[in-house]
Amino acid sequence: DQDAKTHEANKKQIATYINTPDGIGALNIRVNAINALAVLGPKAIPVMNEVIGALSFDEPMVVGSAISCLASMGTGAAPAIPHLDKIKSGSKDEKPPVNAPKDWKPDPTLRNLAAEA
């Protein structure tokens, strides 16, 4: 069906904006792309890996949007659980936990979002 092919292509195109190069407007583009995918809920599962990749970004708004997007996918986003657990356990908290990973970033709000997701 042509509509289904177009829909899949559009999801993939939107997902490419998650990795917009740094520069003017990049933060807004990334967040808006992720939020657009979140509206699709489980239908965005085919681009879940791109959303999971956004969890490692430096901008808390991007990470928070990615967490919400993954939550909107429901149980189909189960492969994201280890990534969310990493954030939940403090990898982005204000003070590094004892075994902090190299990509540790300070943000307790993200830890709470990951726990809820």
Side-chain angles (χ1 to χ4, degrees), residues 8-95:
E8 291 303 311
N10 288 343
K11 282 188 282 197
K12 289 178 183 175
Q13 182 60 47
I14 291 168
T16 65
Y17 291 112
I18 294 171
N19 293 306
T20 295
D22 290 337
I24 296 174
L27 175 64
N28 288 332
I29 292 168
R30 291 173 183 151
V31 169
N32 286 324
I34 294 167
N35 289 342
L37 293 170
V39 170
L40 298 175
K43 291 181 180 178
I45 289 172
V47 293
M48 178 177 33
N49 287 334
E50 288 84 343
V51 178
I52 289 172
L55 295 174
S56 66
F57 281 42
D58 289 330
E59 303 99 345
M61 285 181 63
V62 172
V63 176
S65 293
I67 292 169
S68 295
C69 182
L70 291 165
S72 78
M73 293 179 193
T75 58
I81 291 173
H83 303 279
L84 294 170
D85 282 344
K86 183 177 170 186
I87 295 170
K88 184 176 91 172
S89 69
S91 69
K92 295 180 183 284
D93 207 349
E94 281 187 41
K95 294 182 181 179

